[in-house]
Amino acid sequence: MKIITDFEQGLLLMVIGMSAVYVILLLVIAFGKGLILLVNRYAPTEVVAAKTVRKSAAAARGGDGAATAAIVSAVSVLTGGQGRVTKIETN
């Protein structure tokens, strides 16, 4: 019977411990992906209400209506309806 030295025993415990951690992390990833698939399949989708276009502060002040409308429209398209024009500076 072979006697394991302290270094060999420490190395063996380290390999076993790291392997256990790796397997547990793989299980966490697999269960997480499974949970995401399950929720996406059976949970109802969120209904997004249509957003109304508000008149911006720049449009309320007047000015060139076509240019203001173009700027407001471009900002709305680029930001997905999340952005809002509050001020338009002219030179």
Side-chain angles (χ1 to χ4, degrees):
M1 188 154 113
K2 182 179 177 183
I3 299 176
I4 298 177
T5 63
D6 289 339
F7 181 74
E8 290 173 342
Q9 185 179 12
L11 189 63
L12 179 64
L13 287 174
M14 182 185 70
V15 169
I16 292 172
M18 291 178 77
S19 299
V21 168
Y22 184 73
V23 168
I24 290 171
L25 285 175
L26 287 177
L27 288 173
V28 167
I29 290 170
F31 284 128
K33 286 185 178 183
L35 181 63
I36 289 171
L37 289 174
L38 184 72
V39 168
N40 285 340
R41 180 173 295 156
Y42 295 111
T45 58
E46 185 176 322
V47 177
V48 179
K51 295 184 179 186
T52 59
V53 177
R54 289 188 236 166
K55 195 172 186 182
S56 67
R61 285 193 306 259
D64 187 10
T68 302
I71 292 170
V72 170
S73 176
V75 168
S76 178
V77 168
L78 289 174
T79 61
Q82 299 294 319
R84 187 174 48 171
V85 178
T86 57
K87 182 177 181 182
I88 299 175
E89 294 182 7
T90 59
N91 291 334

